[in-house]
Amino acid sequence: MKIEALISLLAYTVGKTGSVSAFIPATAPCINEPRSSTALEVSRRSILLDTAAGAAAASLSLTAAVPSRANAAAAVQDSLQIDDFLRTGIDSGGTMGVSSQAGKSRPQTGVVFRDGTDVLQGRNGDVSAEILVGTKANPTSVLVSFSAPYKLEKGGVFDIECRDGKTGDGSFVAVTQSTNGKSIGDLPSAFFLERLFDPTGRFSFYGPPTDVKVKKSSISDDGERRFIELSFSNLSQSTNAEIPRNALLVATIPNGTDNAVMLVTSSNSGRWRKGADTTAKVIAESYRALPAPKTSMKLRAKDRSGGTSLDF
């Protein structure tokens, strides 16, 4: 009990002074001195103090070296497992905390949600959402819809995206920069790919994709939709190997707007050759992006940082 009390007292003193020497008398004799009764008592005190000092120092060192559970959790939350995210759309590094969201913001897809709305998916896979395109001075509300056999993803790093957690196949919506009045057929393929493959794009979690190739580009019979088939490779973070992937992009410019709204469906090349390409075409054919009915309500963008609504 006395030793435990001394350890507690010493730990308190070290915490206050930052030094063990403040607790130990400077005149404490060497333990090898002649053992008179007085010297023996002093020696016992020295042994106890030395023992307490060692225990306290070890305790303090251990406390400093081993992070608390809260700090460890924060460290896990600040890690983003890139390969798992690209394959499954799930951050296996843990739930993203505030610092993670600040340091590792979601990919920039160009999607801005209208305040008061949310992304919905029916039991049959039909997905719908209301987004804003244009500028602050002249915003336009657009209704986006498509049907996909994948689960709608929720969370801070997703906009409008459905994924198969096992295969990594998925579809997501993205919005281009201004078309400057050009029609969907007059725009080069690179214009649409810029949003996807720039450093903050959906496919650029671990460096820009490589070997990007446009395999085919075509216009729908009504001239309203552009289809682009492409391939590219992602660098694996764990193996540094190139992972080939294929995608089908469908884009349209809603009437009265100046931005192309795109739906991109992709899978790894092996699955693409085994039927994922057919699934992608079915999803693309179901895609629509149309101006929303006009109302007297002011168009406001949803603030996804946790604050209040923002004027678009």
Side-chain angles (χ1 to χ4, degrees):
M1 294 297 292
K2 290 183 179 180
I3 293 178
E4 292 176 356
L6 284 169
I7 292 175
S8 299
L9 180 58
L10 181 58
Y12 174 80
T13 304
V14 171
K16 289 291 187 180
T17 66
S19 172
V20 177
S21 61
F23 188 83
I24 303 176
T27 58
C30 175
I31 207 166
N32 292 325
E33 288 184 358
R35 292 174 176 254
S36 64
S37 61
T38 303
L40 184 59
E41 290 297 319
V42 172
S43 297
R44 287 175 179 171
R45 186 182 301 113
S46 298
I47 292 172
L48 291 176
L49 292 176
D50 290 342
T51 303
S59 175
L60 291 174
S61 298
L62 184 60
T63 302
V66 180
S68 66
R69 289 191 176 186
N71 289 337
V76 170
Q77 291 172 357
D78 281 341
S79 65
L80 179 61
Q81 302 299 321
I82 305 298
D83 285 339
D84 287 345
F85 189 91
L86 285 172
R87 183 177 62 81
T88 67
I90 301 172
D91 176 15
S92 59
T95 304
M96 295 186 74
V98 174
S99 59
S100 298
Q101 293 177 10
K104 300 180 180 69
S105 60
R106 63 181 176 274
Q108 298 302 304
T109 63
V111 170
V112 177
F113 291 113
R114 182 175 181 176
D115 189 41
T117 67
D118 204 352
V119 186
L120 303 175
Q121 184 178 40
R123 292 183 180 180
N124 60 353
D126 290 347
V127 178
S128 60
E130 185 172 357
I131 65 174
L132 299 179
V133 300
T135 64
K136 282 187 176 182
N138 186 28
T140 301
S141 178
V142 172
L143 296 178
V144 174
S145 65
F146 62 93
S147 184
Y150 316 126
K151 173 181 171 292
L152 177 66
E153 296 289 358
K154 301 287 188 179
V157 296
F158 297 104
D159 290 322
I160 306 173
E161 182 163 346
C162 297
R163 294 187 68 78
D164 184 321
K166 294 182 179 179
T167 65
D169 297 1
S171 303
F172 67 92
V173 173
V175 180
T176 70
Q177 302 290 341
S178 172
T179 61
N180 293 319
K182 292 183 179 180
S183 68
I184 197 75
D186 292 334
L187 294 165
S189 297
F191 173 80
F192 303 97
L193 304 188
E194 180 181 0
R195 172 65 75 183
L196 310 181
F197 297 115
D198 67 18
T200 59
R202 176 63 184 85
F203 291 130
S204 301
F205 276 101
Y206 190 59
T210 60
D211 199 26
V212 179
K213 295 179 181 178
V214 174
K215 294 181 171 296
K216 184 180 179 180
S217 177
S218 60
I219 305 293
S220 62
D221 293 339
D222 59 7
E224 298 294 326
R225 290 181 293 169
R226 174 83 167 267
F227 297 91
I228 299 176
E229 296 182 29
L230 62 142
S231 63
F232 58 95
S233 294
N234 280 115
L235 182 66
S236 169
Q237 183 185 21
S238 58
T239 65
N240 285 329
E242 296 285 346
I243 308 299
R245 200 167 182 86
N246 289 73
L248 175 61
L249 178 157
V250 54
T252 185
I253 303 174
N255 291 334
T257 71
D258 197 36
N259 301 86
V261 184
M262 307 178 288
L263 178 69
V264 184
T265 301
S266 69
S267 75
N268 66 58
S269 295
R271 286 187 50 77
W272 192 264
R273 292 190 296 269
K274 294 179 180 180
D277 60 334
T278 301
T279 301
K281 292 175 183 177
V282 173
I283 296 172
E285 288 294 340
S286 73
Y287 173 66
R288 297 291 184 273
L290 304 170
K294 294 186 179 298
T295 68
S296 59
M297 297 179 64
K298 187 172 184 178
L299 296 180
R300 296 170 67 85
K302 178 183 288 186
D303 180 10
R304 302 175 69 190
S305 65
T308 57
S309 300
L310 300 175
D311 288 334
F312 185 75

